[in-house]
Amino acid sequence: MTQEQAMSLDDAAGVEARTMVLERLIQAPRSAIWGAWMNPDTLPLWWGPDGFSCRTKRIDLREGGEWLFDMIAPDGTVFPNHHLYHEVRPEERIAYALLSGENGPKHADAWVTLEALDGATKVTLGMVFTTAAEFQAAKAIGAEELGQQTLGKLERAVLSR
């Protein structure tokens, strides 16, 4: 094995140690999920864990666009967020950088994929955290459960339409 191949394997192992993937099967067509995700009026209504709300400053949901917002916890704690969209494939995939505040440090690279399955949609939300320590910190505060709550809010938003 060459040094380059060994480094590539190390990088792959490092990425795996920083990756969180959440899935949810929603009994709605892919177009409905896409519509809720890519609508600047509805995305802020369901995004975030139970009890959280979003205060949008700027939103432009397209490749090369951004969403600058504060996520507000039930206790009033404000978490500044900035999503920079670098891939938008209609009804298939969205990929974005997740920054801590406007043009702040990158927290993670994130993506969502939508897969049509017999009238339902498998939603996969993934994040590769910048460091293993950030990944571990996110796990420690329950990020997987909080992410599932977010997908649950998406499901309720889509099914209530």
Side-chain angles (χ1 to χ4, degrees):
M1 177 181 299
T2 68
Q3 183 177 1
E4 185 175 305
Q5 289 170 322
M7 286 174 56
S8 179
L9 289 174
D10 288 346
D11 289 347
V15 167
E16 185 176 317
R18 299 181 283 122
T19 301
M20 182 179 297
V21 177
L22 308 171
E23 295 179 340
R24 187 175 200 100
L25 185 64
I26 298 177
Q27 297 299 319
R30 192 163 62 167
S31 61
I33 306 295
W34 181 260
W37 207 296
M38 294 305 290
N39 181 329
D41 296 325
T42 59
L43 175 61
L45 298 177
W46 63 262
W47 184 259
D50 294 340
F52 282 68
S53 63
C54 291
R55 179 175 48 222
T56 296
K57 297 176 181 178
R58 289 192 307 269
I59 191 166
D60 182 8
L61 302 173
R62 63 176 173 82
E63 197 164 303
E66 65 180 343
W67 182 24
L68 180 63
F69 65 102
D70 291 328
M71 188 174 295
I72 304 165
D75 68 2
T77 303
V78 175
F79 299 95
N81 283 263
H82 194 184
H83 293 182
L84 300 175
Y85 297 95
H86 53 83
E87 182 181 10
V88 176
R89 292 193 321 231
E91 295 192 20
E92 290 180 20
R93 179 178 163 87
I94 305 163
Y96 56 95
L98 176 64
L99 309 180
S100 299
E102 186 168 11
N103 300 312
K106 183 164 66 169
H107 180 61
D109 286 307
W111 72 92
V112 61
T113 58
L114 307 178
E115 180 183 350
L117 295 173
D118 298 322
T121 304
K122 178 182 172 184
V123 179
T124 303
L125 177 60
M127 291 183 287
V128 178
F129 290 84
T130 305
T131 65
E134 275 196 80
F135 173 73
Q136 291 304 322
K139 283 186 72 159
I141 64 163
E144 290 166 313
E145 173 58 28
L146 298 172
Q148 284 295 348
Q149 289 177 19
T150 299
L151 293 177
K153 285 173 65 178
L154 166 62
E155 182 174 30
R156 290 189 297 277
V158 169
L159 296 180
S160 69
R161 296 176 111 203

